[in-house]
């Protein structure tokens, strides 16, 4: 068993870390670098993205043929964690959701001509993208089989009618991946499509106000009233919508975990710094056993999340879907992020509740982690199904002879 990173991946990790410390964390203290929704302002983002490119750290997750760095999931786990020690990190490296997951799935399943038209501009940072699946009640949420948005083939075009909501980034996205019902078949009833924001037949009904800071373009409710999609803009085969969703969501959940671990580490770094300076009743906070127990618990939970995340990443690199490993990582890391930032905020006293540190930002952001890309309860249901189906095989170890990837170029 070897937990070390290869030298090339360690070099990427170190360079991402240095970039974040040097270029991004200092920006967080100046309110001029924020937009109206508490994310990095467009002008600041354009500047840092240019510097990321100069540093050779742009689009780590994309193959080199598409202008990325071709890192495997194990390398991304190490780099994304370092990245999100800054709240501005992922978007600066073109590694933020939903573009991150959208790029990955398009690189995997889109035809070469579709990749040129729809994927390359996202990789290049020229446009943003959204993934439109979830619907308001009584449509699909945790259960995709409840989908009500339909796409009906008429004269070689798919005509879309329905409603989606919580579509991240829709306010600024140009390229959309849409999941819609094309038949009543239980397994093959959904299909996936691409459309451009400039096409008529759909609109943003509202940008949904949320409790936390927002991704660029917010979380929007969309209405489809006769959007026409040429058949050439269908992704995969008719009926493969659920399959595409599974291909996209597994790795997308795991890259969330990688980023959230970075946020959790940042929260602890702020806490460790404060308790090392601050005293009460004649003693440094850091010297108090009650404080040390809180720090030790948080550090242990973060490490548990890292191990689960890295294990799932390794399995993905071996070509496995890693469904149960990803579900476990998603549950543990989302809950760890929330607990850890709460601990960090508590240990900072009133300062933690202020905007003088990123803790309150991370605290408000963290609550969504247990909901997005599958609620914790749904992932536990998935694990229970695996346990009941697999029996003792559930506990098997990885095959030592399985191939390992170093760099995917
Ligand atoms: C910030 C944010 C961004 C999002 N971005 C996107 C996006 O870009 N694109 C997109 O398509 N969607 C997006 N979503 C939607 C997200 O994927 C859904 O919220 C999620 O899949 C859960 O669906 P739901 O909200 O309809 O919850 P519901 O299905 O209504 O479930 C409600 C609750 O019921 C419980 N529950 C549900 N099923 C089970 C079960 N089987 N067993 C036990 N308990 C259960 C869980 O506690 C769950 O939280 C986003 C959501 C948020 C909050």
């Amino acid at each position: 068993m070897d937990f070390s990173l290869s030298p090339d991946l360690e070099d990427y990790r170190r360079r991402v870390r240095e970039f974040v410390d040097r270029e991004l964390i200092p920006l967080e203290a100046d309110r001029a670098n924020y937009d109206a929704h508490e994310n990095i302002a467009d002008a600041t983002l354009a500047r840092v993205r240019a510097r990321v490119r100069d540093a050779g750290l742009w689009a780590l997750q994309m193959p080199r043929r598409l202008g990325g760095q071709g890192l495997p999931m194990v390398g991304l786990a190490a780099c994304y964690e370092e990245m999100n020690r800054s709240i501005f990190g992922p978007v600066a490296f073109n590694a933020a959701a939903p573009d991150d997951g959208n790029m990955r799935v398009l690189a995997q399943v889109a035809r070469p001509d579709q990749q040129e038209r729809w994927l390359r501009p996202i990789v290049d940072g020229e446009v943003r993208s959204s993934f439109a699946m979830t619907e308001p009640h009584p449509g699909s949420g945790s259960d995709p089989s409840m989908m009500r948005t339909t796409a009906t083939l008429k004269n070689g075009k798919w005509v879309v009618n329905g409603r989606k909501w919580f579509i991240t980034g829709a306010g600024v996205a140009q390229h959309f991946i849409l999941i819609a019902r094309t038949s009543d078949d239980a397994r093959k009833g959904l299909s996936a499509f691409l459309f451009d924001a400039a096409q008529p037949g759909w609109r943003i009904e509202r940008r949904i106000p949320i409790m936390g800071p927002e991704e660029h373009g917010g979380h929007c409710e969309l209405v489809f009233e006769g959007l026409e999609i040429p058949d050439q803009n269908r992704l995969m085969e008719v009926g493969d919508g659920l399959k595409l969703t599974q291909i996209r969501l597994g790795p997308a959940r795991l890259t969330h975990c990688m980023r959230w671990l970075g946020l959790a580490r940042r929260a602890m770094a702020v806490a460790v710094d404060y308790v090392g300076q601050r005293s009460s009743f004649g003693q440094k906070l850091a010297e108090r056993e009650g404080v040390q127990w809180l720090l030790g618990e948080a550090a242990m939970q973060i490490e548990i999340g890292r191990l689960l995340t890295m294990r799932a990443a390794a399995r993905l690199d071996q070509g496995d879907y890693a469904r149960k490993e990803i579900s476990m990582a998603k549950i543990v890391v989302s809950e760890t992020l929330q607990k850890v930032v709460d601990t960090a905020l508590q240990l900072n006293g009133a300062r933690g509740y202020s905007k003088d540190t990123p803790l309150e930002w991370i605290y408000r952001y963290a609550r969504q982690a247990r909901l997005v890309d599958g609620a914790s309860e749904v992932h536990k249901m998935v694990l229970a199904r695996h346990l009941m189906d697999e029996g003792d095989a559930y506990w098997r170890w990885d095959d030592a002879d399985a191939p390992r990837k170093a760099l995917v170029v």
Side-chain angles (χ1 to χ4, degrees):
M1 194 129 326
D2 183 0
F3 289 94
S4 58
L5 290 176
S6 64
D8 47 2
L9 296 180
E10 170 56 19
D11 184 57
Y12 271 107
R13 187 203 63 79
R14 181 188 52 75
R15 289 194 290 136
V16 169
R17 179 182 176 78
E18 288 170 2
F19 190 95
V20 168
D21 286 339
R22 191 180 61 244
E23 308 275 350
L24 298 181
I25 290 178
L27 297 175
E28 295 172 0
D30 184 352
R31 289 285 130 193
N33 290 319
Y34 290 76
D35 67 13
H37 300 282
E38 302 178 274
N39 207 328
I40 186 168
D42 285 341
T44 310
L45 179 60
R47 279 199 303 276
V48 296
R49 281 186 154 196
R51 294 180 71 80
V52 168
R53 286 175 206 270
D54 290 346
L57 296 171
W58 183 254
L60 301 178
Q61 75 283 53
M62 281 291 99
R64 289 192 190 278
R65 71 179 164 85
L66 287 163
Q69 307 299 320
L71 264 62
M73 293 301 278
V74 162
L76 295 180
C79 292
Y80 280 21
E81 184 185 306
E82 294 292 358
M83 234 177 240
N84 218 165
R85 290 183 306 108
S86 167
I87 58 178
F88 294 158
V91 73
F93 291 85
N94 200 6
D99 282 343
D100 183 48
N102 292 341
M103 287 190 282
R104 186 185 316 280
V105 74
L106 290 176
Q108 278 178 274
V109 308
R111 296 189 312 266
D113 62 304
Q114 289 178 325
Q115 291 189 0
E116 276 306 308
R117 163 69 179 86
W118 301 94
L119 170 58
R120 193 174 281 280
I122 313 173
V123 179
D124 291 347
E126 289 167 9
V127 304
R128 297 289 190 83
S129 64
S130 281
F131 185 79
M133 176 148 171
T134 305
E135 301 173 340
H137 178 76
S140 82
S142 303
D143 180 358
S145 74
M146 289 161 65
M147 190 163 297
R148 292 164 79 95
T149 299
T150 55
T152 312
L153 192 59
K154 283 184 190 154
N155 303 324
K157 288 187 175 172
W158 295 91
V159 182
V160 181
N161 287 290
R163 188 177 283 264
K164 300 283 180 186
W165 79 342
F166 280 94
I167 306 310
T168 304
V172 296
Q174 194 69 35
H175 294 179
F176 286 76
I177 301 174
L178 170 73
I179 309 295
R181 177 168 295 288
T182 45
S183 83
D184 288 333
D185 189 287
R187 286 296 301 171
K188 291 278 186 183
L190 306 181
S191 300
F193 303 93
L194 291 155
F195 74 92
D196 190 292
Q199 288 177 240
W202 77 284
R203 63 187 157 81
I204 294 178
E205 176 118 312
R206 65 181 178 129
R207 183 167 172 146
I208 303 169
I210 61 167
M211 76 181 269
E214 290 183 21
E215 280 80 2
H216 297 101
H219 306 283
C220 302
E221 183 161 355
L222 318 183
V223 176
F224 296 90
E225 291 168 324
L227 167 70
E228 292 186 357
I229 301 178
D231 191 46
Q232 69 193 38
N233 296 343
R234 171 173 40 80
L235 279 165
M236 303 178 75
E237 298 302 322
V238 176
D240 278 346
L242 198 57
K243 190 170 165 188
L244 178 135
T245 299
Q246 284 167 347
I247 292 170
R248 182 189 183 281
L249 283 182
R253 286 173 180 133
L254 198 65
T255 57
H256 267 320
C257 293
M258 299 168 187
R259 292 182 289 259
W260 294 338
L261 287 164
L263 281 176
R265 277 180 54 194
R266 176 71 183 284
M268 286 322 294
V270 175
V272 167
D273 188 46
Y274 186 74
V275 300
Q277 297 171 30
R278 181 73 170 158
S279 299
S280 76
F281 304 99
Q283 202 177 6
K284 277 262 161 62
L285 290 177
E287 290 163 6
R288 293 194 174 272
E289 191 177 48
V291 169
Q292 290 175 4
W293 280 26
L294 290 173
L295 295 177
E297 174 71 22
M300 179 181 73
Q301 294 300 338
I302 292 171
E303 189 65 8
I304 292 169
R306 297 177 91 201
L307 291 170
L308 287 171
T309 300
M310 204 46 115
R311 172 132 196 260
R315 291 200 80 121
L316 284 174
D317 284 339
Q318 289 161 19
D320 194 284
Y321 283 113
R323 289 209 176 100
K324 65 185 187 219
E325 289 80 5
I326 290 172
S327 282
M328 275 187 267
K330 167 71 173 52
I331 298 162
V332 170
V333 176
S334 62
E335 296 182 1
T336 293
L337 172 62
Q338 208 189 335
K339 282 187 204 143
V340 164
V341 67
D342 183 68
T343 297
L345 198 149
Q346 185 71 13
L347 287 175
N348 273 263
R351 178 178 184 252
Y353 195 64
S354 78
K355 290 185 186 286
D356 285 357
T357 78
L359 292 176
E360 66 80 35
W361 191 107
I362 301 171
Y363 184 85
R364 285 181 294 120
Y365 172 86
R367 187 60 185 87
Q368 63 160 291
R370 288 163 53 202
L371 298 167
V372 292
D373 286 0
S376 296
E377 295 75 21
V378 175
H379 286 291
K380 285 178 188 169
M381 178 187 77
V382 170
L383 291 177
R385 284 181 179 169
H386 275 284
L387 186 62
M388 290 185 284
D389 289 351
E390 293 177 29
D392 210 40
Y394 182 95
W395 306 108
R396 69 185 174 275
W397 296 108
D398 293 349
D399 177 356
D401 296 327
R404 303 280 195 283
K405 291 182 198 167
L407 269 179
V408 184
V409 282

